[in-house]
Amino acid sequence: MKLVLNGHDERYVVEQSLMNLFPGELPVYEPVRPGDESWAVITLRETAADCRVTVELRHGGRTAARSCRGALSGTEFEKEGLRRRAIARGFFLAARAVTGVTPPWGMLTGVRPDKPVTWALADGKTAEEVRTMLEEDYFVTPERASLALETGAAALAASQKLGPQDIAVYVGIPFCPTRCAYCSFVSQSVERSFSLVPPYVDALVEEIRSGGKMVREQGLRVRAFYMGGGTPTTLTAEQMDRVLTAFEESFDTAPCEEITVEAGRPDTITAEKLAVLRAHGVTRVSVNPQTMEDRVLRAIGRRHTAGDIEAAMELVAKYGFPHVNMDLIAGLPEDTPEGFRRSLDRCLAFGTDNVTVHTLALKKGSRILLEGLAIPGPEAVTEMLDYAAPVLRAAGYGPYYLYRQKYMSGSFENTGWCRPGAACWYNIYIMSELCSILSFGAGGSTKMVEPGTNHIQRVFNLKYPKEYTERPEKCLANQAAFAAFYETLKGAN
């Protein structure tokens, strides 16, 4: 779609709206010429008090023009947000007039659509006032508004548990037995890169130890620990023991309420590894089948069966972890609504107290896109998710966090469900951006969150295991930036 921006250069918000409302359309910044059939002209005019946005849009043989006005007040940062919201609203209104379609999340395009809910509740708004805001101001469907109210309220409750010195720790293990068809994460197949694992663990242990020293010097408290990937259990039992020991010896673990490890794929889970996790006080493991349908497992490149998942869950149960999570993905290649229903029903039969329901995201670099694998359409994905929510609620689960990704089937969401008292706090902290996340390992993204504000800084570790192990100075520089961030906060207070 050709995009013409007049009076502004807010490309990001326009492109996010384009992606949400016209999946598959790419932005092209060229003049509109006679005969063009896919374009939008977005004009912004503003005074000291307000801004006016006019959008003229053509697509699918239809043209529409819509205008909206927004007040401008507060700091420059706040004014920028109001301006962007007006642009997004104008584009949404014009697009809806042309297509006749309202996405489930309306004009909300971000990763965290329940953030406005948390802010509004924190400001004293009632649940009904927030619901009205979502449905009338953002055009969210009633079903998604209810979902956001629950997860936004959970985020508010989590924020009230945190102090200004509280952080969470993430450790990344970027290795997997094989690469799944839907995956675009920076992860290495252990089959092809076995030699990278030992030096990676050495470097990771050193990074954790230096990071622990920095955290102690800053007087920070770790409230949650999460080891993800990749698949952490591609490590040997001895390697996992080294990483967890480094964490325990480098940080004060007394304030840490939870230790979560993604056990991940059943073909990596052994009794020896589970014994190590239990010995280190791991409070939650996540076994992630994604599906319990054998033909879908084959289609996504998994080298195990649903029977292997069941055996792994029986083994996990023997070790008595306080909490167990299982992940499913709606919309995988070769799956059907009936197959998804069978998968969810089988997961619930295990009695796990956490279930995360993802919606397939079509990621650049994934085998699904590179090889053109057939996937269920939006209607089928809708049917899958429409089944999941009431069944989970009837089984005693409630939604406690959600997030969205680019290119999701049907523009839906990923939702974490749990039974009362079983929420994974780390998931809420990171998805609602409630506290700083100190990340270790290749591809780690460290977030520095200024408490009580929406101001966030980020630093990134090197992406690939080999360069990560060869350039430890980058990790040290990131830790120095983390320390400087908290020194600045001390000075401001």
Side-chain angles (χ1 to χ4, degrees), residues 203 207 210 441 461-462 468 471-480:
E207 187 192 7
S210 63
N461 279 1
L462 295 168
Y468 166 81
R471 294 183 55 194
E473 68 274 10
K474 181 64 170 75
C475 297
L476 294 175
N478 289 348
Q479 291 177 13

Side-chain angles (χ1 to χ4, degrees), residues 1-2 22 25 32 35-41 55-66 91-102:
M1 178 180 284
K2 288 188 174 182
F22 298 99
E25 288 276 355
V32 176
D36 288 343
E37 285 296 315
S38 180
W39 51 264
V41 178
V55 178
E56 189 176 5
L57 187 150
R58 182 167 179 81
H59 189 270
R62 301 183 64 187
T63 304
R66 293 293 185 272
F91 191 95
F92 173 84
L93 292 173
R96 188 172 67 167
V98 164
T99 65
V101 174
T102 300

Side-chain angles (χ1 to χ4, degrees), residues 179-425:
R179 191 179 185 87
C180 294
Y182 53 81
C183 184
S184 67
F185 289 142
V186 177
S187 59
Q188 303 282 329
S189 166
V190 170
E191 292 179 318
R192 298 180 181 179
S193 56
F194 182 78
S195 63
L196 294 176
V197 180
Y200 180 84
V201 172
D202 291 341
L204 180 61
V205 166
E206 289 305 310
E207 187 192 7
I208 290 171
R209 293 193 183 281
S210 63
K213 181 175 182 293
M214 178 270 294
V215 165
R216 292 195 306 271
E217 290 172 349
Q218 292 299 319
L220 303 177
R221 301 194 310 167
V222 176
R223 301 299 300 275
F225 171 95
Y226 193 103
M227 185 188 292
T231 305
T233 42
T234 52
L235 299 184
T236 65
E238 180 186 12
Q239 289 166 340
M240 295 190 74
D241 178 65
R242 284 189 63 201
V243 173
L244 292 168
T245 297
F247 170 67
E248 292 168 352
E249 293 179 350
S250 305
F251 292 85
D252 177 9
T253 60
C256 188
E257 295 183 277
E258 61 180 23
I259 300 175
T260 299
V261 175
E262 288 186 0
R265 291 167 52 160
D267 44 350
T268 67
I269 297 173
T270 67
E272 187 182 15
K273 294 175 187 179
L274 294 176
V276 167
L277 299 184
R278 201 69 184 94
H280 282 281
V282 169
T283 57
R284 175 182 280 99
V285 294
S286 184
V287 180
N288 303 330
Q290 316 305 8
T291 176
M292 297 293 289
E293 297 282 291
D294 283 339
R295 69 172 185 169
V296 182
L297 288 169
R298 288 192 296 271
I300 64 176
R302 292 286 185 104
R303 294 184 181 176
H304 62 79
T305 65
D308 296 327
I309 297 167
E310 293 178 346
M313 287 299 293
E314 290 175 3
L315 188 59
V316 167
K318 291 180 181 178
Y319 283 85
F321 292 96
H323 304 292
V324 179
N325 173 74
M326 298 186 79
D327 280 13
L328 292 176
I329 299 178
L332 288 173
E334 300 296 327
D335 208 358
T336 63
E338 295 77 19
F340 180 83
R341 288 198 291 268
R342 287 192 294 267
S343 293
L344 179 58
D345 291 346
R346 290 177 77 178
C347 286
L348 294 181
F350 293 118
T352 177
D353 59 5
N354 281 245
V355 176
T356 307
V357 179
H358 297 268
T359 304
L360 178 67
L362 297 175
K363 301 173 183 177
K364 295 178 181 177
S366 69
R367 216 161 38 82
I368 289 177
L369 288 184
L370 294 176
E371 299 180 10
L373 301 183
I375 58 173
E379 298 81 7
V381 175
T382 300
E383 193 174 339
M384 295 174 187
L385 298 179
D386 285 349
Y387 176 78
V391 166
L392 284 161
R393 289 187 188 280
Y397 299 79
Y400 74 97
Y401 82 99
L402 66 84
Y403 67 103
R404 301 177 69 206
Q405 295 168 278
K406 294 180 180 179
Y407 312 114
M408 296 189 80
S409 295
S411 294
F412 289 113
E413 68 285 323
N414 304 318
T415 307
W417 297 79
C418 72
R419 288 186 168 138
C424 177
W425 296 108

Side-chain angles (χ1 to χ4, degrees), residues 160-176:
Q160 293 168 343
K161 293 163 51 73
L162 295 170
Q165 300 302 105
D166 289 341
I167 67 170
V169 165
Y170 177 85
V171 173
I173 308 297
F175 300 99
C176 285

Side-chain angles (χ1 to χ4, degrees), residues 7-8 44-52 70 72 76 79 83:
H8 67 99
L44 172 72
R45 296 184 178 86
E46 64 179 273
T47 67
D50 63 15
C51 66
R52 182 181 177 86
L72 294 178
E76 284 304 313
K79 288 179 181 178
R83 189 180 298 116

